[in-house]
Amino acid sequence: MSDDAAPWLIVGLGNPGPEYAGNRHNIGFMVADLLADRIRGKFKAHKARAQVVEGRFGPPGPAGSRVVLAKPMTYMNLSGGPVTALRDFYKVPLERIVAVHDELDIDYPTLRLKLGGGDNGHNGLKSMTKSMGPDYHRVRCGIGRPPGRMQVADFVLKDFSSTERKELDWFVDRAADAVESLVCDGLERAQSTYNS
C-alpha cells in the first residue's frame, strides 16, 4: 500500500473515565470528540485498547483525506501501546500520526503545530516517543503553567477554571480546525494559520 493510500491517525491524548473528562490534561479527548461529531462518527472500542472512529476530512467522497480518530483507553502515561497497535493495524506511516495534547509551556488558549521534537515532560508524548520515535505531528493546546506553588500533576488533573471555560469551546473548535488543516493543507499552511 502506498503512503498516499494510508489514513491519517489523529490521537487525542487524555485519561479515560468521567472523573477526568473536564481536566486540562484531557483537551486532546475534547478535540477528538468534536472531530468525530464533525464527520458524524461514533467512537467504538478497538482491540488496540482505544476508541476509534473512521471517516474523511475535506470534500465528501474519495477526494477527502481518510482519517482514523483515536482516544487511547489506557492512562495517559501508557498511550504509546495503543497508538503503536493502531499504527500497525491501519498501516499508518509515522509522519501521518498527529498527537493532540495539552502543553504547559504555551499560554492558554494558544495553539502551536509542529513535527517531531521532545516530550517536554508530557507523559503521553513520552510514551508515544518511546514506542515509535519522535517524528510524528503534534497539535499543542496551551494550558499555561500552574499558579503559585501548585504541582504540575495537580494542575493538569484539575478541570478548566470558570474563566477558562468561557473560551474552552472556541479553543477546542480552533484546535479541531487546525487538525483538519494539517491533514488537508499540510503543516506549513496550518502553522501559518493557527500558530499564534
Side-chain angles (χ1 to χ4, degrees):
M1 177 153 93
S2 79
D3 281 0
D4 285 350
W8 284 76
L9 176 59
I10 316 294
V11 182
L13 291 177
N15 285 310
E19 67 273 34
Y20 298 106
N23 288 180
R24 292 184 177 93
H25 222 18
N26 271 39
I27 194 162
F29 273 19
M30 296 173 199
V31 174
D33 285 338
L34 178 58
L35 287 166
D37 286 348
R38 288 183 180 183
I39 63 172
R40 296 186 176 80
K42 287 264 181 281
F43 278 100
K44 293 183 178 64
H46 189 281
K47 64 182 181 187
R49 293 176 305 161
Q51 302 244 316
V52 300
V53 176
E54 297 179 47
R56 289 185 185 275
F57 288 169
S65 302
R66 273 182 68 211
V67 293
V68 178
L69 305 175
K71 297 191 293 187
M73 288 290 117
T74 53
Y75 286 94
M76 180 71 89
N77 56 351
L78 300 172
S79 302
V83 177
T84 305
L86 290 169
R87 176 200 68 184
D88 296 346
F89 181 84
Y90 289 104
K91 301 181 172 54
V92 180
L94 193 55
E95 67 277 6
R96 284 200 176 203
I97 296 175
V98 182
V100 185
H101 63 92
D102 57 308
E103 177 68 68
L104 288 159
D105 285 340
I106 301 174
D107 289 337
Y108 181 85
T110 304
L111 286 174
R112 296 265 162 75
L113 286 75
K114 69 174 191 172
L115 174 62
D119 58 53
N120 224 8
H122 191 289
N123 289 331
L125 297 180
K126 201 175 281 182
S127 177
M128 283 180 62
T129 297
K130 192 173 164 200
S131 296
M132 307 185 301
D135 298 326
Y136 51 90
H137 287 89
R138 295 100 191 277
V139 174
R140 304 155 75 205
C141 303
I143 59 168
R145 284 260 158 209
R149 297 214 170 127
M150 188 190 285
Q151 293 294 315
V152 164
D154 295 334
F155 178 69
V156 299
L157 293 176
K158 279 208 174 13
D159 286 2
F160 286 97
S161 70
S162 53
T163 312
E164 289 170 332
R165 278 200 294 270
K166 291 182 182 133
E167 289 185 289
L168 185 58
D169 286 349
W170 172 85
F171 189 31
V172 169
D173 196 59
R174 188 168 163 79
D177 289 347
V179 172
E180 290 197 47
S181 175
L182 170 61
V183 169
C184 298
D185 307 325
L187 179 63
E188 280 179 29
R189 271 185 66 185
Q191 283 175 323
S192 66
T193 308
Y194 295 97
N195 279 16
S196 25

